[in-house]
Amino acid sequence: MAKTDNSLSLDRGTDHAHHHLGHAGGHSHLTGALFFTLGFAFVEAVAGYFSGSLALLSDAGHMLTDSTALGLAALAAWLAKRPPSPRHTYGLVRLEILAALFNALLMFGLVAFIAVEAIDRFAQPRQVQGGVVTVVAVIGLLVNIGVAWQLSHGEKTLNTRAALLHVMGDMLGSVAALAAGLVIYFTGWMPIDPLLSLLVSGLILVSAWRLLGEALNVLLEAVPGHIDIERVAQDLAAIEGVAAVHDLHIWTLSSGKVALSAHMDVRDFADWPRIMAESRQRLITHHDIGHVTLQPELADSTAARPAHILHPVQH
């Protein structure tokens, strides 16, 4: 029976099994995609302002959020190469999470601005230059296609795949802006501009909400959503020579880098090198957990442990 505990315990004589799960690879592709996306977001914002198109402004905001996502991915790849220091023993990987949190809050502010402006334009429609909107939206769509092609032909890392999903989502914003421009150019129906800007702001809101949740989960050191802590405990407890697993903690250091610490009751300390090696192999193979800290304890000594420390998991 596996046992887990959510308390924090500090013990001496701990064995460490460390496996580096970096974000190496794809850094140059991410940086190039970042400059293309960020540069055109500025162009689109200027065009949206002078053409009077809220759809272009909202799409510029969406491209800005994608630029931030690409920037965070590039930052993660760069930080992964920075060595730890005596003061920052995990390195500076958490800066990525703080930047993501700031980005999410910024996106919420952008969505609020677009929503207020759209409602105002429904009440008082403004003149929009449909031809300008159409041309700029077509260029934006081509830029997004080019960035997606660049990312898809780069190294297949977790960060580049996530960035590619952001860019694919941004294509919808460019298509919405293009549709608004065409409708206004051929029909002169101005409400389509704020209507489609609300659609784009909805895409931004979904991304912002997901990003905020992921950042808060990391800062609160919650168990990553893709990991089943019960199954991890069972896999460790199933190793021959292990009597129980307790004080099990799993948290995220940064995107793609998960850490684990646990105490393992073993029947014979002589078996510990084998148990540790097998534990490390199971964790990296079955759960993609590479930063592991394990503490062995003699199973016979668990009877003397205070009852409040152990909390058995019911199966």
Side-chain angles (χ1 to χ4, degrees), residues 44-68:
E44 201 169 31
V46 173
Y49 176 80
F50 285 105
S51 67
S53 172
L54 186 59
L56 272 186
L57 287 174
S58 60
D59 189 42
H62 197 205
M63 292 191 75
L64 177 62
T65 62
D66 286 338
S67 299
T68 307

Side-chain angles (χ1 to χ4, degrees), residues 152-289:
S152 63
H153 285 74
E155 296 183 63
K156 302 299 187 292
T157 66
L158 178 66
N159 282 314
T160 55
R161 290 198 300 269
L164 180 60
L165 288 176
H166 277 280
V167 174
M168 296 296 287
D170 191 54
M171 287 184 187
L172 296 177
S174 295
V175 171
L178 176 60
L182 290 173
V183 170
I184 293 172
Y185 183 78
F186 287 107
T187 69
W189 191 54
M190 297 300 169
I192 189 65
D193 185 64
L195 184 64
L196 291 181
S197 69
L198 287 177
L199 173 63
V200 176
S201 67
L203 297 176
I204 300 175
L205 185 61
V206 171
S207 298
W209 185 259
R210 184 180 297 119
L211 184 62
L212 178 63
E214 292 175 356
L216 289 177
N217 280 336
V218 173
L219 293 177
L220 293 174
E221 298 191 340
V223 177
H226 66 283
I227 292 179
D228 184 348
I229 192 171
E230 299 287 340
R231 183 180 173 189
V232 173
Q234 291 172 10
D235 281 353
L236 292 176
I239 296 174
E240 184 180 355
V242 176
V245 177
H246 57 96
D247 293 288
L248 174 60
H249 304 276
I250 305 174
W251 69 100
T252 302
L253 294 175
S254 65
S255 61
K257 190 171 185 179
V258 179
L260 175 148
S261 67
H263 290 205
M264 303 179 71
D265 295 338
V266 298
R267 296 184 174 87
D268 189 343
F269 277 138
D271 291 334
W272 177 241
R274 174 188 58 79
I275 292 173
M276 184 179 68
E278 187 173 347
S279 299
R280 177 178 176 177
Q281 182 63 32
R282 286 194 180 198
L283 290 171
I284 189 62
T285 302
H286 298 166
H287 307 284
D288 200 21
I289 301 175

